[in-house]
Amino acid sequence: MKVFLCGGGAGTQTIAVNKRLNEVIDHSKPCLYVPFAMEHTRYADCYKWIKGELENVDIPSIEMVNTADELVAKNMNNFGMIFIGGGNTFKLLHDLKTSGAFEKIKEYLNSEGVVFGGSAGAIIFGKDLEACKLDDTNEVNLRDIDGFDVLNGTSILCHYTNRTAEKDEKSRQYLLEVSKHRRVIALPEEVTLFVNGEDMEVIGNRPYFLFEGGAILKQPEDSETRVL
C-alpha cells in the first residue's frame, strides 16, 4: 500500500511531497485524476489545476474521469497513480460507494498501486468522516461514512491551522470531544503523511496534531518515520 495523505496544500506547499511522489510512481503510466469532491461544473477548472500541480511530476499524461461509473470501467493497472482531489468529502465518498468505485480503489491499493489524496481525497482514507463534520455539509445524505481506514482506526482532518483562528478553535474543541471515542490526526496544508506498507513517513515543514482520549498531542518536529 502506498498512499499520500496531503493536508490540502498546493503549489509551494507541495514541492517536497511531489518530489517524494516522483520517486515511487511508475513513470511509464499516466495519472488518473478523480475530481468528484467538486461540483461537476468545476471539473474543467479542476483539470487545469491538476496539470499545474503535477507539472514537475514525471508522468506521460493526466486522465480525468467525469463520472463514478467511468471510474469503475477503468482498468486500474493502466495507471501509475490515482490523484483524488479536494472539495466536499461527503459527496466524494458518496459517489465512490454508490458506484462500486470504493472497492475498486481498495483493490488498486492492495495491488501496490499509488494513491495521492488531497484534503477530501485524504480524509476518506481515515477511519470515517467524523472529523470533518464541521467543515463539510452532508447534502447527499451519506449514511455509511466509513473510509478506507489506512491509519488503523484514525480519522483525518485537513487544513488545520491554515484557517481563521476562530475556525481552528472550533475545530480544536470539536476534535477534543470526538477524540474521546477515536483517534484523529489533524493535518496542516504543508504536511503530507506517506503510508508505505506498515510505515508512515511525515513529509513537510510543520508538525501535525494527534487528538486522542480527549487530549491533543503535537507531533515532535524531529519525527520523520514511524511504524503504524
Side-chain angles (χ1 to χ4, degrees), residues 7-224:
T12 58
Q13 294 173 314
T14 53
I15 290 175
V17 66
N18 282 353
K19 181 178 179 181
R20 187 72 179 96
L21 175 66
N22 210 31
E23 295 172 353
V24 302
I25 60 173
D26 183 340
H27 301 291
S28 68
K29 296 180 179 181
C31 166
L32 183 64
Y33 175 46
V34 180
F36 301 157
M38 289 291 189
E39 293 301 323
H40 192 272
T41 54
R42 299 184 61 184
Y43 285 6
D45 290 335
C46 290
Y47 187 68
K48 292 178 183 178
W49 174 82
I50 193 65
K51 287 182 69 176
E53 183 65 15
L54 297 183
E55 184 178 12
N56 294 321
V57 178
D58 184 14
I59 47 178
S61 62
I62 300 172
E63 187 174 329
M64 182 175 72
V65 285
N66 289 282
T67 67
D69 289 339
E70 185 181 344
L71 175 58
V72 171
K74 293 292 182 185
N75 182 348
M76 297 299 199
N77 294 326
N78 293 336
F79 298 96
M81 63 172 287
I82 300 173
F83 190 108
I84 306 176
N88 185 284
T89 315
F90 292 95
K91 177 183 180 298
L92 171 61
L93 191 59
H94 172 270
D95 288 0
L96 294 180
K97 288 204 168 182
T98 56
S99 65
F102 185 90
E103 293 301 324
K104 192 150 190 176
I105 292 172
K106 184 183 291 187
E107 291 173 5
Y108 177 78
L109 267 181
N110 292 336
S111 300
E112 296 303 310
V114 179
V115 176
F116 189 107
S119 191
I123 293 171
I124 62 172
F125 286 93
K127 181 185 186 302
D128 54 35
L129 305 192
E130 285 291 339
C132 73
K133 283 185 174 180
L134 282 187
D135 288 40
D136 291 345
T137 55
N138 188 2
E139 295 180 353
V140 294
N141 296 315
L142 179 67
R143 294 185 178 182
D144 177 9
I145 64 170
D146 288 344
F148 289 95
D149 196 19
V150 302
L151 294 177
N152 299 330
T154 304
S155 300
I156 300 168
L157 180 70
C158 295
H159 304 287
Y160 189 67
T161 67
N162 295 100
R163 295 90 52 94
T164 64
E166 180 182 6
K167 191 166 186 177
D168 280 331
E169 177 59 21
K170 286 182 178 179
S171 290
R172 188 180 75 86
Q173 294 295 338
Y174 174 71
L175 294 181
L176 285 171
E177 184 63 29
V178 167
S179 69
K180 293 177 181 178
H181 310 288
R182 59 166 48 73
R183 292 192 310 275
V184 178
I185 281 179
L187 299 173
E189 293 175 355
E190 297 86 355
V191 175
T192 297
L193 305 182
F194 175 33
V195 181
N196 186 7
E198 295 299 317
D199 296 330
M200 185 181 79
E201 179 181 341
V202 184
I203 304 169
N205 56 10
R206 294 183 61 192
Y208 65 81
F209 299 83
L210 175 65
F211 290 78
E212 186 172 17
I216 181 173
L217 173 67
K218 184 177 179 182
Q219 174 233 345
E221 303 214 22
D222 60 351
S223 175
E224 296 181 355

